[in-house]
Amino acid sequence: MPTVASSQSSTETDWVSRFADDVIAESERRAPGKPVVVASGLSPSGPIHLGNLREVMTPHLVADEIRRRGHTVRHLISWDDYDRYRKVPNGVEGVDDSWLAHIGKPLTSVPAPAGSAYPNWAEHFKAAMTQALDELGVEYDGISQTEQYLAGTYREQVLHAMKHRADIDAVLDRYRTKKDGAAGAKGGKKPQQKKVDEAELEAAEGSGAADEDDGSSGSAGYFPYKPYCGNCEKDLTVVTSYDDDTTELNYTCSACGFAETVRLNEFNRGKLVWKVDWPMRWAYEGVIFEPSGVDHSSPGSSFVVGGQIVREVFDGVQPIGPMYAFVGISGMAKMSSSKGGVPTPADALKIMEAPLLRWLYARRKPNQSFKIAFDQEIQRLYDEWDSLARKVADGTALPADAAAHARAVGTAAGELPSTPRPLPYRTLASVADITAGAEEQTLRILSELDPSSPLTSLDEVRPRLDRAENWITTQVPAEARTVVRHEPDEELLGSLDAQGRESLRLLLEGLDSHWSLDGLTTLVYGVPKVLEGLAPDARPTPELKVAQRSFFALLYRLLVGRDTGPRLPTLLLAVGADRVRTLLGA
């Protein structure tokens, strides 16, 4: 099992340990002897994206640290699948304008996109997220709010809220005089599934203030409960009367005109409005820790209002609730985005291993923004990750960095699957680019990287190899892919001056004796030095670096017809010695 620093040194380690200290202490104060409860909430109103994942990973990492210390902890994930269907997300495959007719219904009453294997809209979008959470090693208790409300689980809480509706109204009224542009749904809880710019993905997509419904405020007064219509199933209803003694409730539907009288002590087809529902659950579930989006630093936000409602109405305590910052996206090819430009955890896990994705969330404090790379930057991220692994192995990593690494590679339950022989991602991507996934050729090239310890099976470099192949095929545009020339560029070869011809001769002369990744690296960097009368290991000068770049550009043009390409040592190994000789005019 991966180890992290003990709680005694938590102030010297990482943000996770410090929050774990606070959460354990608060749990022992509020509910001694009971499991520690942390919570997340996700709305399956569309693709659940990488910004929403921070809503889960923040409490997951804290919960996992608490488990490592021997405490019992529950990480609740509330699927807000009884929320109203607010809008039709852009670009979702199998969905057209006919889904506009379902706006206002519970997400579990909306049909899934055409061709889906799932029974409704909510289950369709939950499925990809649950699979990703399993791959990421996230242990949680899932709660369907549809099931909770329809089973009458919250009946006492609903009746209590209705009885104290004037108190709730008074809390909300403290903010109604403000133009509360930030007073929207909880970040990550009720995201508006808008199309996002590829360069920046917010952890919480918009504040949702325009769509936030504080409750029914018709001529009969304020009510914090919204029935779903018994005829059209929509929540476009207005409570026209309510009797606290009998719990008799009358409502009318503005969408279809349907009117109904029900008894709320036996009626389950409705829910508390969001700003009341969230604090109600804090009290009901005894939540100690739950993060929310950065928009909740503003007055009138659901977290701020909820803190007052949970205390004044439900006699509960607001959770420790850090605000988490935005998650950015560094490039993403439209061909592989989640139908509408919203990259999801499933998208990320196609091109990177689970430990790397966990690490991106673990190494930054919740209030620090960061980016997840889908472009060339992923190669640098992997280099940084591999460098950290080496420092951890030799004991030179800083304590906080070592702790983040341990949290990334495993959980309290054990280590996550890893690549037995983690060759550099950029090398695997270059080979996948050149071979187009041909396994025999890929194995031949990779086995020649280190002749002293040749690779014997591609399984040794999986799943990293598979992720690199997926990155090449889904994120690198076709025009940027590497295509090795079939025939020598006779015109270019014929135009070379004496220095150019000599540089190729020196390279070809040293191929056999340098045929490994390290050897070819020494060779290609050394040829320009030898041409200048220097030793192959001489320190490069600025003038020498210019000569090296010119030599590299010549090799690229002769091998792939462009001025740039994969790292030359990898490219030479991939092309093979015989074909290199042919293309370089030997």
mmCIF file of all heavy atoms in Angstrom, residues 350-356 378-379 381-387 389-390 417-429 432 458-471:
data_model
loop_
_atom_site.group_PDB
_atom_site.id
_atom_site.type_symbol
_atom_site.label_atom_id
_atom_site.label_comp_id
_atom_site.label_asym_id
_atom_site.label_seq_id
_atom_site.Cartn_x
_atom_site.Cartn_y
_atom_site.Cartn_z
ATOM 1 N N LYS A 350 -8.702 7.972 -21.574
ATOM 2 C CA LYS A 350 -8.341 7.320 -22.835
ATOM 3 C C LYS A 350 -6.901 7.652 -23.234
ATOM 4 O O LYS A 350 -6.281 6.897 -23.990
ATOM 5 C CB LYS A 350 -9.295 7.758 -23.954
ATOM 6 C CG LYS A 350 -10.698 7.211 -23.816
ATOM 7 C CD LYS A 350 -11.610 7.795 -24.892
ATOM 8 C CE LYS A 350 -13.045 7.320 -24.708
ATOM 9 N NZ LYS A 350 -13.963 7.985 -25.679
ATOM 10 N N ILE A 351 -6.382 8.784 -22.729
ATOM 11 C CA ILE A 351 -5.054 9.214 -23.173
ATOM 12 C C ILE A 351 -4.040 9.289 -22.026
ATOM 13 O O ILE A 351 -2.864 9.550 -22.268
ATOM 14 C CB ILE A 351 -5.113 10.574 -23.889
ATOM 15 C CG1 ILE A 351 -5.585 11.684 -22.930
ATOM 16 C CG2 ILE A 351 -6.020 10.504 -25.119
ATOM 17 C CD1 ILE A 351 -5.426 13.081 -23.503
ATOM 18 N N MET A 352 -4.487 9.076 -20.801
ATOM 19 C CA MET A 352 -3.549 9.083 -19.673
ATOM 20 C C MET A 352 -3.969 8.032 -18.657
ATOM 21 O O MET A 352 -5.139 7.690 -18.541
ATOM 22 C CB MET A 352 -3.459 10.460 -19.033
ATOM 23 C CG MET A 352 -4.738 10.956 -18.396
ATOM 24 S SD MET A 352 -4.583 12.643 -17.697
ATOM 25 C CE MET A 352 -4.405 13.629 -19.181
ATOM 26 N N GLU A 353 -2.988 7.522 -17.936
ATOM 27 C CA GLU A 353 -3.265 6.511 -16.923
ATOM 28 C C GLU A 353 -3.923 7.161 -15.709
ATOM 29 O O GLU A 353 -3.719 8.332 -15.421
ATOM 30 C CB GLU A 353 -1.964 5.835 -16.511
ATOM 31 C CG GLU A 353 -1.311 5.062 -17.642
ATOM 32 C CD GLU A 353 0.158 4.814 -17.379
ATOM 33 O OE1 GLU A 353 0.983 5.694 -17.711
ATOM 34 O OE2 GLU A 353 0.471 3.747 -16.825
ATOM 35 N N ALA A 354 -4.708 6.355 -14.986
ATOM 36 C CA ALA A 354 -5.444 6.870 -13.832
ATOM 37 C C ALA A 354 -4.546 7.549 -12.796
ATOM 38 O O ALA A 354 -4.904 8.615 -12.282
ATOM 39 C CB ALA A 354 -6.259 5.742 -13.196
ATOM 40 N N PRO A 355 -3.369 6.986 -12.457
ATOM 41 C CA PRO A 355 -2.534 7.669 -11.466
ATOM 42 C C PRO A 355 -2.130 9.090 -11.878
ATOM 43 O O PRO A 355 -2.073 9.984 -11.034
ATOM 44 C CB PRO A 355 -1.311 6.750 -11.339
ATOM 45 C CG PRO A 355 -1.839 5.392 -11.664
ATOM 46 C CD PRO A 355 -2.829 5.638 -12.769
ATOM 47 N N LEU A 356 -1.859 9.308 -13.161
ATOM 48 C CA LEU A 356 -1.491 10.651 -13.599
ATOM 49 C C LEU A 356 -2.659 11.604 -13.418
ATOM 50 O O LEU A 356 -2.486 12.730 -12.924
ATOM 51 C CB LEU A 356 -1.043 10.644 -15.063
ATOM 52 C CG LEU A 356 -0.707 12.029 -15.633
ATOM 53 C CD1 LEU A 356 0.544 12.599 -14.968
ATOM 54 C CD2 LEU A 356 -0.524 11.985 -17.141
ATOM 55 N N ILE A 378 0.823 17.151 -22.807
ATOM 56 C CA ILE A 378 0.703 15.889 -22.062
ATOM 57 C C ILE A 378 2.060 15.183 -21.983
ATOM 58 O O ILE A 378 2.354 14.486 -21.002
ATOM 59 C CB ILE A 378 -0.357 14.970 -22.688
ATOM 60 C CG1 ILE A 378 -0.681 13.808 -21.717
ATOM 61 C CG2 ILE A 378 0.075 14.438 -24.045
ATOM 62 C CD1 ILE A 378 -1.820 12.925 -22.178
ATOM 63 N N GLN A 379 2.898 15.367 -22.996
ATOM 64 C CA GLN A 379 4.219 14.741 -22.969
ATOM 65 C C GLN A 379 5.081 15.347 -21.857
ATOM 66 O O GLN A 379 5.784 14.615 -21.147
ATOM 67 C CB GLN A 379 4.891 14.908 -24.329
ATOM 68 C CG GLN A 379 4.118 14.252 -25.468
ATOM 69 C CD GLN A 379 4.849 14.344 -26.792
ATOM 70 O OE1 GLN A 379 6.027 14.690 -26.855
ATOM 71 N NE2 GLN A 379 4.152 14.017 -27.860
ATOM 72 N N LEU A 381 3.893 16.761 -19.133
ATOM 73 C CA LEU A 381 3.299 16.322 -17.873
ATOM 74 C C LEU A 381 3.803 14.933 -17.494
ATOM 75 O O LEU A 381 4.128 14.665 -16.336
ATOM 76 C CB LEU A 381 1.777 16.300 -17.986
ATOM 77 C CG LEU A 381 1.033 17.606 -17.717
ATOM 78 C CD1 LEU A 381 -0.457 17.410 -17.925
ATOM 79 C CD2 LEU A 381 1.314 18.129 -16.314
ATOM 80 N N TYR A 382 3.838 14.042 -18.489
ATOM 81 C CA TYR A 382 4.334 12.693 -18.218
ATOM 82 C C TYR A 382 5.815 12.705 -17.839
ATOM 83 O O TYR A 382 6.249 11.939 -16.963
ATOM 84 C CB TYR A 382 4.093 11.776 -19.417
ATOM 85 C CG TYR A 382 2.959 10.805 -19.194
ATOM 86 C CD1 TYR A 382 1.716 11.003 -19.777
ATOM 87 C CD2 TYR A 382 3.128 9.678 -18.389
ATOM 88 C CE1 TYR A 382 0.673 10.110 -19.564
ATOM 89 C CE2 TYR A 382 2.103 8.781 -18.176
ATOM 90 C CZ TYR A 382 0.871 9.003 -18.762
ATOM 91 O OH TYR A 382 -0.155 8.115 -18.544
ATOM 92 N N ASP A 383 6.607 13.558 -18.488
ATOM 93 C CA ASP A 383 8.021 13.678 -18.109
ATOM 94 C C ASP A 383 8.137 14.107 -16.646
ATOM 95 O O ASP A 383 8.968 13.585 -15.888
ATOM 96 C CB ASP A 383 8.731 14.700 -19.001
ATOM 97 C CG ASP A 383 8.939 14.200 -20.426
ATOM 98 O OD1 ASP A 383 8.811 12.982 -20.654
ATOM 99 O OD2 ASP A 383 9.229 15.034 -21.302
ATOM 100 N N GLU A 384 7.302 15.075 -16.250
ATOM 101 C CA GLU A 384 7.326 15.564 -14.875
ATOM 102 C C GLU A 384 6.891 14.461 -13.903
ATOM 103 O O GLU A 384 7.476 14.297 -12.827
ATOM 104 C CB GLU A 384 6.398 16.779 -14.761
ATOM 105 C CG GLU A 384 6.499 17.504 -13.442
ATOM 106 C CD GLU A 384 5.602 18.732 -13.397
ATOM 107 O OE1 GLU A 384 5.011 19.107 -14.433
ATOM 108 O OE2 GLU A 384 5.471 19.318 -12.294
ATOM 109 N N TRP A 385 5.883 13.707 -14.306
ATOM 110 C CA TRP A 385 5.391 12.600 -13.469
ATOM 111 C C TRP A 385 6.465 11.521 -13.295
ATOM 112 O O TRP A 385 6.705 11.040 -12.177
ATOM 113 C CB TRP A 385 4.139 12.027 -14.119
ATOM 114 C CG TRP A 385 3.625 10.739 -13.566
ATOM 115 C CD1 TRP A 385 3.601 9.526 -14.202
ATOM 116 C CD2 TRP A 385 3.035 10.507 -12.278
ATOM 117 N NE1 TRP A 385 3.032 8.562 -13.400
ATOM 118 C CE2 TRP A 385 2.686 9.145 -12.211
ATOM 119 C CE3 TRP A 385 2.793 11.320 -11.189
ATOM 120 C CZ2 TRP A 385 2.093 8.572 -11.088
ATOM 121 C CZ3 TRP A 385 2.199 10.758 -10.063
ATOM 122 C CH2 TRP A 385 1.857 9.405 -10.021
ATOM 123 N N ASP A 386 7.123 11.167 -14.383
ATOM 124 C CA ASP A 386 8.177 10.142 -14.303
ATOM 125 C C ASP A 386 9.365 10.638 -13.481
ATOM 126 O O ASP A 386 9.987 9.863 -12.748
ATOM 127 C CB ASP A 386 8.629 9.745 -15.706
ATOM 128 C CG ASP A 386 7.579 8.935 -16.452
ATOM 129 O OD1 ASP A 386 6.653 8.397 -15.810
ATOM 130 O OD2 ASP A 386 7.670 8.840 -17.695
ATOM 131 N N SER A 387 9.682 11.927 -13.610
ATOM 132 C CA SER A 387 10.771 12.493 -12.819
ATOM 133 C C SER A 387 10.437 12.429 -11.330
ATOM 134 O O SER A 387 11.296 12.094 -10.495
ATOM 135 C CB SER A 387 11.023 13.944 -13.240
ATOM 136 O OG SER A 387 11.984 14.557 -12.405
ATOM 137 N N ALA A 389 8.479 10.229 -9.913
ATOM 138 C CA ALA A 389 8.570 8.822 -9.499
ATOM 139 C C ALA A 389 10.008 8.443 -9.175
ATOM 140 O O ALA A 389 10.264 7.709 -8.207
ATOM 141 C CB ALA A 389 8.005 7.926 -10.598
ATOM 142 N N ARG A 390 10.960 8.936 -9.980
ATOM 143 C CA ARG A 390 12.373 8.633 -9.710
ATOM 144 C C ARG A 390 12.832 9.278 -8.400
ATOM 145 O O ARG A 390 13.565 8.667 -7.619
ATOM 146 C CB ARG A 390 13.238 9.118 -10.879
ATOM 147 C CG ARG A 390 13.057 8.296 -12.154
ATOM 148 C CD ARG A 390 14.092 8.650 -13.202
ATOM 149 N NE ARG A 390 13.931 9.999 -13.708
ATOM 150 C CZ ARG A 390 13.165 10.322 -14.762
ATOM 151 N NH1 ARG A 390 12.481 9.371 -15.393
ATOM 152 N NH2 ARG A 390 13.095 11.577 -15.175
ATOM 153 N N PRO A 417 -3.666 -0.143 -10.789
ATOM 154 C CA PRO A 417 -2.874 -0.777 -11.850
ATOM 155 C C PRO A 417 -1.883 0.208 -12.449
ATOM 156 O O PRO A 417 -2.182 1.392 -12.605
ATOM 157 C CB PRO A 417 -3.945 -1.179 -12.874
ATOM 158 C CG PRO A 417 -5.207 -1.312 -12.083
ATOM 159 C CD PRO A 417 -5.116 -0.257 -11.023
ATOM 160 N N SER A 418 -0.697 -0.286 -12.763
ATOM 161 C CA SER A 418 0.338 0.579 -13.323
ATOM 162 C C SER A 418 1.058 -0.145 -14.451
ATOM 163 O O SER A 418 0.937 -1.357 -14.619
ATOM 164 C CB SER A 418 1.347 0.987 -12.244
ATOM 165 O OG SER A 418 1.992 -0.154 -11.712
ATOM 166 N N THR A 419 1.814 0.612 -15.227
ATOM 167 C CA THR A 419 2.599 0.054 -16.322
ATOM 168 C C THR A 419 3.877 -0.557 -15.759
ATOM 169 O O THR A 419 4.656 0.147 -15.097
ATOM 170 C CB THR A 419 2.941 1.152 -17.346
ATOM 171 O OG1 THR A 419 1.722 1.680 -17.879
ATOM 172 C CG2 THR A 419 3.788 0.598 -18.473
ATOM 173 N N PRO A 420 4.125 -1.859 -15.995
ATOM 174 C CA PRO A 420 5.314 -2.508 -15.407
ATOM 175 C C PRO A 420 6.626 -1.825 -15.788
ATOM 176 O O PRO A 420 7.518 -1.681 -14.960
ATOM 177 C CB PRO A 420 5.244 -3.936 -15.966
ATOM 178 C CG PRO A 420 3.803 -4.154 -16.289
ATOM 179 C CD PRO A 420 3.287 -2.818 -16.728
ATOM 180 N N ARG A 421 6.714 -1.421 -17.054
ATOM 181 C CA ARG A 421 7.942 -0.778 -17.528
ATOM 182 C C ARG A 421 7.553 0.563 -18.164
ATOM 183 O O ARG A 421 7.296 0.645 -19.367
ATOM 184 C CB ARG A 421 8.659 -1.678 -18.526
ATOM 185 C CG ARG A 421 10.050 -1.190 -18.900
ATOM 186 C CD ARG A 421 10.803 -2.283 -19.642
ATOM 187 N NE ARG A 421 12.083 -1.828 -20.106
ATOM 188 C CZ ARG A 421 12.980 -2.593 -20.723
ATOM 189 N NH1 ARG A 421 12.712 -3.885 -20.916
ATOM 190 N NH2 ARG A 421 14.130 -2.094 -21.120
ATOM 191 N N PRO A 422 7.496 1.633 -17.374
ATOM 192 C CA PRO A 422 6.966 2.908 -17.872
ATOM 193 C C PRO A 422 7.965 3.671 -18.736
ATOM 194 O O PRO A 422 8.645 4.593 -18.285
ATOM 195 C CB PRO A 422 6.656 3.669 -16.579
ATOM 196 C CG PRO A 422 7.623 3.121 -15.579
ATOM 197 C CD PRO A 422 7.834 1.683 -15.941
ATOM 198 N N LEU A 423 8.051 3.290 -19.999
ATOM 199 C CA LEU A 423 8.892 4.030 -20.930
ATOM 200 C C LEU A 423 8.330 5.434 -21.116
ATOM 201 O O LEU A 423 7.135 5.669 -20.896
ATOM 202 C CB LEU A 423 8.939 3.309 -22.282
ATOM 203 C CG LEU A 423 9.594 1.924 -22.288
ATOM 204 C CD1 LEU A 423 9.543 1.327 -23.693
ATOM 205 C CD2 LEU A 423 11.034 1.991 -21.799
ATOM 206 N N PRO A 424 9.165 6.402 -21.508
ATOM 207 C CA PRO A 424 8.673 7.768 -21.669
ATOM 208 C C PRO A 424 7.454 7.833 -22.591
ATOM 209 O O PRO A 424 7.436 7.226 -23.664
ATOM 210 C CB PRO A 424 9.874 8.504 -22.277
ATOM 211 C CG PRO A 424 11.060 7.730 -21.794
ATOM 212 C CD PRO A 424 10.618 6.299 -21.770
ATOM 213 N N TYR A 425 6.451 8.577 -22.170
ATOM 214 C CA TYR A 425 5.212 8.710 -22.946
ATOM 215 C C TYR A 425 5.507 9.269 -24.332
ATOM 216 O O TYR A 425 4.943 8.813 -25.326
ATOM 217 C CB TYR A 425 4.255 9.631 -22.191
ATOM 218 C CG TYR A 425 2.859 9.738 -22.769
ATOM 219 C CD1 TYR A 425 1.845 8.896 -22.346
ATOM 220 C CD2 TYR A 425 2.538 10.721 -23.712
ATOM 221 C CE1 TYR A 425 0.555 9.015 -22.834
ATOM 222 C CE2 TYR A 425 1.256 10.847 -24.218
ATOM 223 C CZ TYR A 425 0.269 9.989 -23.777
ATOM 224 O OH TYR A 425 -1.015 10.114 -24.284
ATOM 225 N N ARG A 426 6.413 10.254 -24.397
ATOM 226 C CA ARG A 426 6.705 10.867 -25.691
ATOM 227 C C ARG A 426 7.348 9.851 -26.638
ATOM 228 O O ARG A 426 7.106 9.895 -27.851
ATOM 229 C CB ARG A 426 7.571 12.110 -25.537
ATOM 230 C CG ARG A 426 8.974 11.883 -24.986
ATOM 231 C CD ARG A 426 9.768 13.191 -24.960
ATOM 232 N NE ARG A 426 9.242 14.164 -24.036
ATOM 233 C CZ ARG A 426 8.712 15.335 -24.416
ATOM 234 N NH1 ARG A 426 8.642 15.644 -25.703
ATOM 235 N NH2 ARG A 426 8.267 16.193 -23.507
ATOM 236 N N THR A 427 8.132 8.932 -26.103
ATOM 237 C CA THR A 427 8.721 7.884 -26.943
ATOM 238 C C THR A 427 7.640 6.941 -27.460
ATOM 239 O O THR A 427 7.598 6.608 -28.654
ATOM 240 C CB THR A 427 9.766 7.083 -26.144
ATOM 241 O OG1 THR A 427 10.818 7.967 -25.744
ATOM 242 C CG2 THR A 427 10.346 5.956 -26.984
ATOM 243 N N LEU A 428 6.763 6.509 -26.581
ATOM 244 C CA LEU A 428 5.676 5.610 -26.988
ATOM 245 C C LEU A 428 4.765 6.289 -28.009
ATOM 246 O O LEU A 428 4.316 5.656 -28.973
ATOM 247 C CB LEU A 428 4.870 5.177 -25.769
ATOM 248 C CG LEU A 428 5.627 4.351 -24.728
ATOM 249 C CD1 LEU A 428 4.751 4.092 -23.514
ATOM 250 C CD2 LEU A 428 6.099 3.029 -25.323
ATOM 251 N N ALA A 429 4.492 7.585 -27.790
ATOM 252 C CA ALA A 429 3.639 8.308 -28.734
ATOM 253 C C ALA A 429 4.311 8.418 -30.099
ATOM 254 O O ALA A 429 3.655 8.253 -31.144
ATOM 255 C CB ALA A 429 3.327 9.695 -28.183
ATOM 256 N N ALA A 432 4.091 5.036 -31.758
ATOM 257 C CA ALA A 432 2.718 4.788 -32.198
ATOM 258 C C ALA A 432 2.386 5.626 -33.425
ATOM 259 O O ALA A 432 1.672 5.169 -34.338
ATOM 260 C CB ALA A 432 1.749 5.107 -31.072
ATOM 261 N N LEU A 458 4.809 -6.376 -25.490
ATOM 262 C CA LEU A 458 4.176 -5.066 -25.359
ATOM 263 C C LEU A 458 3.387 -4.946 -24.064
ATOM 264 O O LEU A 458 3.094 -3.824 -23.619
ATOM 265 C CB LEU A 458 3.261 -4.797 -26.559
ATOM 266 C CG LEU A 458 3.963 -4.619 -27.913
ATOM 267 C CD1 LEU A 458 2.934 -4.305 -28.996
ATOM 268 C CD2 LEU A 458 5.009 -3.504 -27.845
ATOM 269 N N ASP A 459 3.058 -6.064 -23.444
ATOM 270 C CA ASP A 459 2.354 -6.008 -22.161
ATOM 271 C C ASP A 459 3.182 -5.302 -21.099
ATOM 272 O O ASP A 459 2.634 -4.754 -20.135
ATOM 273 C CB ASP A 459 2.000 -7.417 -21.678
ATOM 274 C CG ASP A 459 0.911 -8.057 -22.519
ATOM 275 O OD1 ASP A 459 0.168 -7.310 -23.199
ATOM 276 O OD2 ASP A 459 0.790 -9.301 -22.493
ATOM 277 N N GLU A 460 4.515 -5.301 -21.278
ATOM 278 C CA GLU A 460 5.387 -4.628 -20.313
ATOM 279 C C GLU A 460 5.186 -3.118 -20.313
ATOM 280 O O GLU A 460 5.478 -2.449 -19.317
ATOM 281 C CB GLU A 460 6.849 -4.941 -20.613
ATOM 282 C CG GLU A 460 7.240 -6.399 -20.453
ATOM 283 C CD GLU A 460 8.698 -6.623 -20.816
ATOM 284 O OE1 GLU A 460 9.550 -5.896 -20.258
ATOM 285 O OE2 GLU A 460 8.980 -7.488 -21.662
ATOM 286 N N VAL A 461 4.692 -2.572 -21.417
ATOM 287 C CA VAL A 461 4.522 -1.119 -21.520
ATOM 288 C C VAL A 461 3.052 -0.709 -21.588
ATOM 289 O O VAL A 461 2.724 0.421 -21.953
ATOM 290 C CB VAL A 461 5.287 -0.557 -22.736
ATOM 291 C CG1 VAL A 461 6.780 -0.643 -22.502
ATOM 292 C CG2 VAL A 461 4.902 -1.288 -24.018
ATOM 293 N N ARG A 462 2.186 -1.638 -21.248
ATOM 294 C CA ARG A 462 0.759 -1.313 -21.184
ATOM 295 C C ARG A 462 0.347 -1.144 -19.729
ATOM 296 O O ARG A 462 0.906 -1.790 -18.858
ATOM 297 C CB ARG A 462 -0.056 -2.440 -21.850
ATOM 298 C CG ARG A 462 0.047 -2.413 -23.372
ATOM 299 C CD ARG A 462 -0.922 -3.384 -23.994
ATOM 300 N NE ARG A 462 -1.065 -3.076 -25.422
ATOM 301 C CZ ARG A 462 -0.821 -3.938 -26.403
ATOM 302 N NH1 ARG A 462 -0.424 -5.176 -26.119
ATOM 303 N NH2 ARG A 462 -0.988 -3.586 -27.647
ATOM 304 N N PRO A 463 -0.631 -0.246 -19.435
ATOM 305 C CA PRO A 463 -1.514 0.449 -20.383
ATOM 306 C C PRO A 463 -0.970 1.757 -20.957
ATOM 307 O O PRO A 463 -1.635 2.392 -21.758
ATOM 308 C CB PRO A 463 -2.750 0.726 -19.531
ATOM 309 C CG PRO A 463 -2.217 0.914 -18.161
ATOM 310 C CD PRO A 463 -1.077 -0.056 -18.033
ATOM 311 N N ARG A 464 0.245 2.186 -20.564
ATOM 312 C CA ARG A 464 0.745 3.474 -21.061
ATOM 313 C C ARG A 464 0.825 3.509 -22.583
ATOM 314 O O ARG A 464 0.481 4.528 -23.205
ATOM 315 C CB ARG A 464 2.098 3.800 -20.446
ATOM 316 C CG ARG A 464 2.600 5.174 -20.837
ATOM 317 C CD ARG A 464 3.910 5.541 -20.170
ATOM 318 N NE ARG A 464 3.771 5.760 -18.742
ATOM 319 C CZ ARG A 464 4.671 6.394 -18.006
ATOM 320 N NH1 ARG A 464 5.784 6.883 -18.572
ATOM 321 N NH2 ARG A 464 4.498 6.554 -16.708
ATOM 322 N N LEU A 465 1.245 2.428 -23.193
ATOM 323 C CA LEU A 465 1.322 2.385 -24.653
ATOM 324 C C LEU A 465 -0.054 2.622 -25.269
ATOM 325 O O LEU A 465 -0.191 3.378 -26.246
ATOM 326 C CB LEU A 465 1.889 1.045 -25.122
ATOM 327 C CG LEU A 465 1.854 0.796 -26.635
ATOM 328 C CD1 LEU A 465 2.705 1.812 -27.377
ATOM 329 C CD2 LEU A 465 2.316 -0.630 -26.955
ATOM 330 N N ASP A 466 -1.076 1.984 -24.724
ATOM 331 C CA ASP A 466 -2.427 2.151 -25.268
ATOM 332 C C ASP A 466 -2.882 3.595 -25.148
ATOM 333 O O ASP A 466 -3.536 4.131 -26.048
ATOM 334 C CB ASP A 466 -3.405 1.239 -24.530
ATOM 335 C CG ASP A 466 -3.048 -0.227 -24.674
ATOM 336 O OD1 ASP A 466 -2.560 -0.616 -25.754
ATOM 337 O OD2 ASP A 466 -3.257 -0.986 -23.705
ATOM 338 N N ARG A 467 -2.553 4.242 -24.036
ATOM 339 C CA ARG A 467 -2.949 5.644 -23.859
ATOM 340 C C ARG A 467 -2.237 6.544 -24.865
ATOM 341 O O ARG A 467 -2.833 7.464 -25.422
ATOM 342 C CB ARG A 467 -2.629 6.109 -22.435
ATOM 343 C CG ARG A 467 -3.286 5.297 -21.324
ATOM 344 C CD ARG A 467 -4.804 5.316 -21.415
ATOM 345 N NE ARG A 467 -5.403 4.621 -20.292
ATOM 346 C CZ ARG A 467 -5.721 3.336 -20.280
ATOM 347 N NH1 ARG A 467 -5.500 2.582 -21.357
ATOM 348 N NH2 ARG A 467 -6.284 2.775 -19.217
ATOM 349 N N ALA A 468 -0.949 6.260 -25.096
ATOM 350 C CA ALA A 468 -0.196 7.064 -26.056
ATOM 351 C C ALA A 468 -0.743 6.876 -27.467
ATOM 352 O O ALA A 468 -0.839 7.831 -28.252
ATOM 353 C CB ALA A 468 1.281 6.690 -25.997
ATOM 354 N N GLU A 469 -1.102 5.637 -27.808
ATOM 355 C CA GLU A 469 -1.698 5.378 -29.124
ATOM 356 C C GLU A 469 -3.016 6.116 -29.277
ATOM 357 O O GLU A 469 -3.305 6.696 -30.329
ATOM 358 C CB GLU A 469 -1.897 3.878 -29.320
ATOM 359 C CG GLU A 469 -0.610 3.096 -29.543
ATOM 360 C CD GLU A 469 -0.854 1.613 -29.722
ATOM 361 O OE1 GLU A 469 -1.955 1.133 -29.365
ATOM 362 O OE2 GLU A 469 0.058 0.919 -30.212
ATOM 363 N N ASN A 470 -3.836 6.104 -28.209
ATOM 364 C CA ASN A 470 -5.112 6.821 -28.271
ATOM 365 C C ASN A 470 -4.900 8.315 -28.424
ATOM 366 O O ASN A 470 -5.653 8.999 -29.142
ATOM 367 C CB ASN A 470 -5.935 6.548 -27.002
ATOM 368 C CG ASN A 470 -6.521 5.160 -26.977
ATOM 369 O OD1 ASN A 470 -6.717 4.536 -28.016
ATOM 370 N ND2 ASN A 470 -6.816 4.660 -25.788
ATOM 371 N N TRP A 471 -3.877 8.832 -27.765
ATOM 372 C CA TRP A 471 -3.604 10.257 -27.895
ATOM 373 C C TRP A 471 -3.229 10.611 -29.332
ATOM 374 O O TRP A 471 -3.733 11.588 -29.898
ATOM 375 C CB TRP A 471 -2.474 10.671 -26.938
ATOM 376 C CG TRP A 471 -2.128 12.129 -27.069
ATOM 377 C CD1 TRP A 471 -2.890 13.181 -26.662
ATOM 378 C CD2 TRP A 471 -0.966 12.681 -27.681
ATOM 379 N NE1 TRP A 471 -2.267 14.378 -26.978
ATOM 380 C CE2 TRP A 471 -1.091 14.087 -27.598
ATOM 381 C CE3 TRP A 471 0.161 12.129 -28.280
ATOM 382 C CZ2 TRP A 471 -0.112 14.941 -28.096
ATOM 383 C CZ3 TRP A 471 1.135 12.979 -28.774
ATOM 384 C CH2 TRP A 471 0.989 14.374 -28.690
#
